[in-house]
Structures are given as structure tokens and as C-alpha cells.
Amino acid sequence: ASLSDGAITVTAFVDEDNMASDSATLVPTQQSVKAYVDSQVVAQDDGIVRAAITADSSASTFTIGAIPSVSGRNYFANKAVLKVTTAFAGGSVDGFKITDNESSETTYITAAQADPTVTGTYVLDLGMEALTSGTTLQLDAVQSDGSTAAVATSGAVTVTVEYVYNT
């Protein structure tokens, strides 16, 4: 049996979560449509990497998150928001850097632009700096020279990096 409106003839219903048959005559179940949409939404890029970081005398470098790696896309760092909720102390900490984990270690913010020893929210323009596809961004606690690692004994910050991409 089939159903037709004169232009389209439906031949069957199908339970197919990936829509692989790509048919003009099959109607997917509600569950199949939901499963397909959910799988596509999960795969979308929201343009944000974020991490909550707490210093505890064990490290000077903290992972923020990875930039996606999608063929044909160019990624650019837009802005960073650092919300210092507990002032950093110890280890001669005087600033932050946001870098990538590539061998060239591109620096996106420098120590002078955010003071981890004072609570507050810092919004930093990253100047649409090109990001390496698939790179992992990290927050480095540094001393006053902006490059020497500092291992803070205490402190907490939430770091959000916003990025955009084009194809």
C-alpha cells in the first residue's frame, strides 16, 4: 500500500536514525528524526572553549580546551574573558598568558593584560588572531617578565575563549 498526494508517493515508513537511504518515498519515524537532529546538533561548533581553573601549587599551565579541526575552516581568536574569583597568590605569579600547545606556542594574551592577583572580570580583545585548527589552548600563569612560569599556591579563574571561523 502507498499514499499519494498526486506529486509524491509515500511507499513506507522507516526507522533509520542516520537517514542513509536518502529516499524521496520513505517517511522517517519521529524517533528517527529526533535521533538524526540530535546527532547533528552535537556535532556543531559553538565557538567557545571554557575551563574553570584552580591553582594548587602543582602546575603553571592549565588546559582551556581544543579548537575543532574541520576541513576547510579557518579559525580566529575573537576575545577572552577571564573571571578571577579567588586572587592568585604565591609562586611570584603576576600575570596570565593564553597560548596554544603548538611547537611555535603562539601567545594570544600577555601578562600585562590580566592581573590574576586581583579578583574581577577581564575582557580581552584577541584581535582575530589566526588559530591552528585542532590546537589546544592553555592558560599559563607567569611572573612579571611575562614569560617565566609561576606556580601559584592558590587562586581560581574561569577562562572563556571565543573564536569564529570561516570556510
Side-chain angles (χ1 to χ4, degrees):
S2 63
L3 176 64
S4 178
D5 71 353
I8 299 171
T9 301
V10 175
T11 59
F13 292 96
V14 63
D15 186 14
E16 186 177 75
D17 294 354
N18 63 4
M19 306 290 172
S21 65
D22 194 22
S23 170
T25 63
L26 298 175
V27 175
T29 64
Q30 177 187 7
Q31 183 276 329
S32 290
V33 171
K34 182 181 182 325
Y36 178 77
V37 170
D38 287 350
S39 73
Q40 297 306 301
V41 170
V42 169
Q44 296 300 312
D45 184 351
D46 64 4
I48 294 174
V49 289
R50 177 179 292 130
I53 295 166
T54 302
D56 63 0
S57 301
S58 64
S60 64
T61 300
F62 307 92
T63 298
I64 300 169
I67 300 301
S69 179
V70 177
S71 179
R73 285 188 182 172
N74 298 304
Y75 294 90
F76 302 92
N78 185 25
K79 74 177 176 180
V81 178
L82 288 86
K83 184 174 183 181
V84 178
T85 54
T86 303
F88 280 63
S92 299
V93 66
D94 190 57
F96 287 136
K97 291 191 311 182
I98 292 181
T99 62
D100 61 29
N101 66 343
E102 302 299 311
S103 59
S104 62
E105 193 176 272
T106 301
T107 298
Y108 300 102
I109 19 179
T110 61
Q113 294 172 302
D115 185 354
T117 65
V118 177
T119 59
T121 301
Y122 302 90
V123 179
L124 307 165
D125 181 1
L126 300 181
M128 299 305 283
E129 182 87 25
L131 294 166
T132 302
S133 181
T135 194
T136 297
L137 296 179
Q138 58 195 30
L139 180 74
D140 300 333
V142 294
Q143 296 181 20
S144 60
D145 65 3
S147 60
T148 304
V151 179
T153 56
S154 62
V157 61
T158 299
V159 183
T160 304
V161 176
E162 294 181 13
Y163 60 90
V164 296
Y165 62 87
N166 66 19
T167 52

